[in-house]
Amino acid sequence: MSDAPLRLEAVARRFRTEAGELPVLTGAELTLAAGEIVALVAPSGTGKSTLLHLAGLLERPDAGEVFVAGRAAGTLSDDARTAIRRTEIGFVYQFHHLLPEFTAEENVVLPQMANRTPRAAAQERARQLLASFGLAGREHHRPGRLSGGEQQRVAIARALANAPKILLADEPTGNLDTGTSDLVFGELLAAVRGQGVAALIATHNPALAARMDRVVTLRDGCIVPG
């Protein structure tokens, strides 16, 4: 599966502390197929966020390699890694991180324009995505005028705006109440499946994890079936 959207090969990451080196990942391996949605369920402090940062090229591993669409990213320049993140990878976080001074539509337009999409096409794409998440008529509201569930829908639309091949999500509904979480998560799954995106989604919620294709966890710095 050398051309898989995402492949981690023997990835290791350690951090320096006052007490010495702290190994977090010691040989993590994972392959995501196109259209596959994988739940990452592990206790806090075991390296979930570190794993997502490495997979999303926000950090470099101390050993091993991250392959995006078969391309090794470890030796690429920072500019090249940024270009891959912009075109191939979408991110969704527990807290939406929307730009408060911009409308919902503008928040979805901006990453497309950063990717040199013409404004008119970016606006049309934004409206289509927002409508698919039930936000038709809310496009011109700023985040402060949207509910928590609506804000997270905008964040998901923004992550999908550039049609990424990979979606990485860190507790994407962890800040929502149960009913809203179930609804928003269902919309996220439908959108990801509909676009054939490979997704790795960290969650503490076993009910949400059960709705995905498979579950993995972190044990002793490695990825194992959940």
Side-chain angles (χ1 to χ4, degrees):
M1 300 184 66
S2 61
D3 59 347
L6 178 67
R7 181 162 59 93
L8 308 183
E9 186 176 279
V11 168
R13 187 77 170 99
R14 55 188 177 271
F15 296 98
R16 294 185 181 278
T17 70
E18 291 183 357
E21 285 196 342
L22 174 66
V24 177
L25 299 174
T26 58
E29 303 212 351
L30 179 69
T31 298
L32 295 186
E36 183 182 31
I37 304 174
V38 177
L40 174 61
V41 180
S44 298
T46 55
K48 292 195 304 297
S49 294
T50 297
L51 178 67
L52 290 171
H53 288 170
L54 291 170
L57 310 188
L58 294 170
E59 297 181 24
R60 295 180 187 265
D62 295 307
E65 186 59 275
V66 178
F67 296 87
V68 177
R71 184 183 185 189
T75 58
L76 296 177
S77 68
D78 288 341
D79 286 346
R81 288 163 64 88
T82 297
I84 292 174
R85 285 198 303 271
R86 186 182 300 130
T87 59
E88 306 290 334
I89 303 172
F91 296 89
V92 184
Y93 300 98
Q94 179 175 350
F95 299 97
H96 53 76
H97 298 303
L98 299 176
L99 298 173
E101 67 272 28
F102 294 101
T103 67
E105 181 180 301
E106 289 167 341
N107 268 277
V108 183
V109 164
L110 287 172
Q112 297 179 75
M113 294 189 66
N115 204 31
R116 299 182 180 179
T117 302
R119 178 181 288 273
Q123 289 174 325
E124 179 61 23
R125 168 77 170 160
R127 292 180 191 125
Q128 290 175 351
L129 279 169
L130 291 171
S132 73
F133 284 105
L135 293 172
R138 307 288 279 172
E139 305 96 328
H140 303 300
H141 288 62
R142 292 183 180 179
R145 295 183 60 199
L146 301 173
S147 69
E150 288 172 334
Q151 291 173 1
Q152 197 64 322
R153 287 182 176 96
V154 176
I156 296 168
R158 178 182 60 186
L160 295 173
N162 284 326
K165 293 182 175 64
I166 301 162
L167 181 79
L168 304 172
D170 196 355
E171 299 286 348
T173 60
N175 198 39
L176 304 176
D177 63 77
T178 301
T180 304
S181 173
D182 288 345
L183 182 61
V184 171
F185 192 77
E187 293 173 342
L188 169 61
L189 289 184
V192 169
R193 292 192 195 284
Q195 296 188 31
V197 179
L200 180 62
I201 302 177
T203 180
H204 280 107
N205 188 326
L208 296 185
R211 297 166 67 179
M212 299 186 232
D213 298 321
R214 61 185 169 107
V215 179
V216 299
T217 190
L218 287 167
R219 187 175 301 135
D220 298 327
C222 295
I223 297 172
V224 297

